[in-house]
Amino acid sequence: MKKLLIVYALLFFLFFLYVYAYHLKQPLTSLFRPEQTELNDNGREYVMVTFQAGIDYWKNAIKGFEDAANELDVSTEYRGATQYDSHEQITVLEQVIAKKPAGIAISAINPHELNTTINKAVEAGIPVVLFDSDAPRSKAFSFLGTNNFSAGETGAHKMAELLGRKGKVGVITLPNQLNHKERTDGFVETIEKQYPNMEVVAIKDGKGDQLQSEKAASEIIKDYPDIKGIFTTEANGGVGIANAKKSTNKGNDIKIISFDTDKQTLDKIHEGDISASLAQGTWNMGYWSLQFLYQYNQEKALNNISNETSILPKYVDTGISIVTKENVEDFYAE
Amino acid sequence: MKKLLIVYALLFFLFFLYVYAYHLKQPLTSLFRPEQTELNDNGREYVMVTFQAGIDYWKNAIKGFEDAANELDVSTEYRGATQYDSHEQITVLEQVIAKKPAGIAISAINPHELNTTINKAVEAGIPVVLFDSDAPRSKAFSFLGTNNFSAGETGAHKMAELLGRKGKVGVITLPNQLNHKERTDGFVETIEKQYPNMEVVAIKDGKGDQLQSEKAASEIIKDYPDIKGIFTTEANGGVGIANAKKSTNKGNDIKIISFDTDKQTLDKIHEGDISASLAQGTWNMGYWSLQFLYQYNQEKALNNISNETSILPKYVDTGISIVTKENVEDFYAE
């Protein structure tokens, strides 16, 4: 009986040892990535803020942001100003700052008006990156977006490939908007410098509108009956040119390269009316915005940051993918 | 006694339940980030390949690569060609490819000669990014490096700050080397466009050599006795100009802005002979190279990649930090 009691006591001891050891390590979720959940966000959210919430254009950026968050096991929130109005975006941003999130990724409605509010977030210790539309004079750590000149170069190389490196081409654009001017410059300079048998014969204002672009394209086709290709720097232009090709009899052999990936553009690529479109790396913008904010918090917690902003790259060209009939399905899927 | 046996049996049962539950969850290390260790590298290494192994310049890049690896719990290897010789770097790269690593980050000795070997790695399914020195026509997914034009702009703004936005300035550079030409252009264009009371009066070839740079600086000081500042696009130039300041009597008030962070430059900043130097984001290059390769493997394993290269940004400007007497200690420490 005495021996039994000793065994009994021993077992009790072992049992409590295990209970103790087990509970020490509980809850397992907090064990999972202890340095991460503890160090970097304290359970706070990473927030994406855009203007014009609800338009298709942001879908992939939001998906990229969420995909990265799922991989890193952090939570996110999306906040969009509903109108194309800088005051509304400032108000949304103020509300977000008040909640002291783990980080903010912003697409700025305009390059100046958000600066004060962005700087307020940075000064409050919230890391901020900008994506798609920059505010270059703000204190945000990084900008992730399309290099528009480089996008125009890509358009020129694709046009040269489609035309066998020869023939007259035109451009339909928004000449007064900087990103569109850069796309046009990249296209025109590349054709001039690298394709001696090609010529840009016309650059016209499509006003970002299908009907205006159709009219501009019809004029180009009328003025240059031997035109072989038209590049446009925005999606409505592509649809307008495709309509002009149909409404003019001479337009059957004109190759169109458009921009972005709204449903109408993808449909026309699928049907063969538009040869290609330049898709911006919007998923990349969202994905790497979250990665940047998260890794910044990591490094800060590990005291690897001597200079407040220096661990994040200053500028990221998120790149261009070329959409054609061969891969158009991938772009619907996203 | 019977009751005691039931308690005894119950305790045994609970005891084994705990043992079982505990061991089910062992080893904890494999639990830690299960989706990551399984999915992305199968225990293979991430390899960094440079030319001219052993020079100080790579130290921070290697540290960034290793810091990211430690955070992500993957292993790395550094392989450097010992000579400034493209054949040797090709041989090293071939050896690395043969080991089928999880990813390769390369600084290319020259923009063309490595292309075939880089493409061989990509075609073998190994993700490749380039850092510091690009091979733009290769199939590598990304380039992470300094935007040299933008570095020159930063130099111009710092010079304007040091000089109270007025006075004559000179540049000592390597006019025939593209990255140095871009740094010079960024500096000169920014002074011309943004600082009407400043003037770039001389641009001279320092040949990347201290004595030649000293000679060039002495000439500038002689020709323009009212020169207020000299910017140089490489580190030997900075030391040369500092020596010229000492050897000429007129040089006491000349502000020098140099480039990079070798020990001699940092010492001269510490002593006040050089006002500032532009430090490239070499830690960033290494850190984000590994992050890119790792996240590429993650996304690939999760089948998020429709277009082989599109998840990684095409180009990253890793940025510039300004080193001055105030923060020079941080740069020694690295």
Side-chain angles (χ1 to χ4, degrees), chain B residues 146-153 173-175 177-189 231 233:
Chain B
T146 303
N147 180 326
N148 286 299
F149 187 90
S150 165
E153 291 177 318
T173 184
L174 290 163
Q177 213 172 303
L178 181 62
N179 51 346
H180 292 274
K181 191 180 175 309
E182 288 169 346
R183 290 168 193 175
T184 304
D185 289 349
F187 182 85
V188 173
E189 286 184 25
F231 171 60
T233 60

Side-chain angles (χ1 to χ4, degrees), chain A residues 32-33, chain B residues 29-40:
Chain A
F32 226 62
R33 291 172 176 177
Chain B
T29 45
S30 73
L31 248 186
F32 228 59
R33 290 171 174 178
E35 84 283 10
Q36 296 181 4
T37 35
E38 279 168 33
L39 290 187
N40 77 82

Side-chain angles (χ1 to χ4, degrees), chain A residues 1 4 7-8 11-12 14-15 18-19 22-23 25 28 31-36 67 71 137 150 154 194 283-284 287-288 291-292 295 298-299 302 304 306-307 310-319 321 330 334, chain B residues 1 4 7-8 11-12 14-15 18-19 22-23 25 28 31-36 67 71 137 150 154 194 283-284 287-288 291-292 295 298-299 302 304 306-307 310-319 321 330 334:
Chain A
M1 188 70 191
L4 199 68
V7 173
Y8 198 177
L11 278 168
F12 247 119
L14 281 170
F15 173 61
Y18 264 97
V19 171
Y22 187 72
H23 280 276
K25 294 185 168 61
L28 270 173
L31 248 189
F32 226 62
R33 291 172 176 177
E35 84 283 13
Q36 296 182 2
D67 283 350
E71 284 168 34
R137 300 257 169 195
S150 165
T154 303
Q194 297 190 37
W283 185 91
N284 283 356
Y287 183 88
W288 291 103
Q291 285 278 359
F292 277 20
Q295 303 300 349
Q298 289 276 97
E299 291 304 312
L302 294 167
N304 280 345
S306 56
N307 174 321
S310 67
I311 90 127
L312 295 185
K314 191 175 160 188
Y315 167 68
V316 174
D317 174 12
T318 42
S321 304
D330 293 343
E334 286 171 13
Chain B
M1 188 70 193
L4 197 68
V7 173
Y8 199 179
L11 279 168
F12 248 118
L14 282 171
F15 173 61
Y18 264 97
V19 172
Y22 187 72
H23 281 275
K25 293 185 168 63
L28 271 170
L31 248 186
F32 228 59
R33 290 171 174 178
E35 84 283 10
Q36 296 181 4
D67 284 350
E71 285 167 34
R137 300 257 169 194
S150 165
T154 303
Q194 298 191 35
W283 185 91
N284 283 356
Y287 182 87
W288 291 103
Q291 285 277 358
F292 277 22
Q295 303 300 349
Q298 288 276 98
E299 292 304 312
L302 295 167
N304 280 345
S306 56
N307 174 323
S310 67
I311 89 128
L312 294 185
K314 191 176 160 187
Y315 167 68
V316 174
D317 175 12
T318 42
S321 305
D330 293 343
E334 284 172 12

Side-chain angles (χ1 to χ4, degrees), chain B residues 104-212:
Chain B
I104 310 177
I106 304 170
S107 182
I109 192 167
N110 121 349
H112 312 293
E113 294 182 27
L114 266 64
N115 286 356
T116 310
T117 322
I118 291 169
N119 295 352
K120 194 174 150 185
V122 173
E123 282 151 16
I126 302 165
V128 178
V129 298
L130 285 153
F131 71 97
D132 191 63
S133 305
D134 198 7
R137 300 257 169 194
S138 76
K139 292 183 178 170
F141 298 166
S142 294
F143 171 64
L144 306 96
T146 303
N147 180 326
N148 286 299
F149 187 90
S150 165
E153 291 177 318
T154 303
H157 293 305
K158 185 66 190 174
M159 187 64 89
E161 182 197 317
L162 291 170
L163 302 186
R165 308 164 80 94
K166 60 173 185 281
K168 290 179 182 165
V169 293
V171 180
I172 291 180
T173 184
L174 290 163
N176 298 321
Q177 213 172 303
L178 181 62
N179 51 346
H180 292 274
K181 191 180 175 309
E182 288 169 346
R183 290 168 193 175
T184 304
D185 289 349
F187 182 85
V188 173
E189 286 184 25
T190 305
I191 297 285
E192 281 174 359
K193 283 187 192 159
Q194 298 191 35
Y195 299 102
N197 298 323
M198 292 175 72
E199 189 189 355
V200 180
V201 292
I203 300 171
K204 287 198 182 270
D205 189 353
K207 302 198 166 93
D209 176 83
Q210 287 188 13
L211 281 176
Q212 293 290 335

Side-chain angles (χ1 to χ4, degrees), chain A residues 33-52:
Chain A
R33 291 172 176 177
E35 84 283 13
Q36 296 182 2
T37 34
E38 278 168 30
L39 292 185
N40 79 81
D41 49 40
N42 299 313
R44 290 171 299 141
E45 284 180 330
Y46 289 85
V47 185
M48 174 179 276
V49 178
T50 71
F51 51 95
Q52 280 190 297

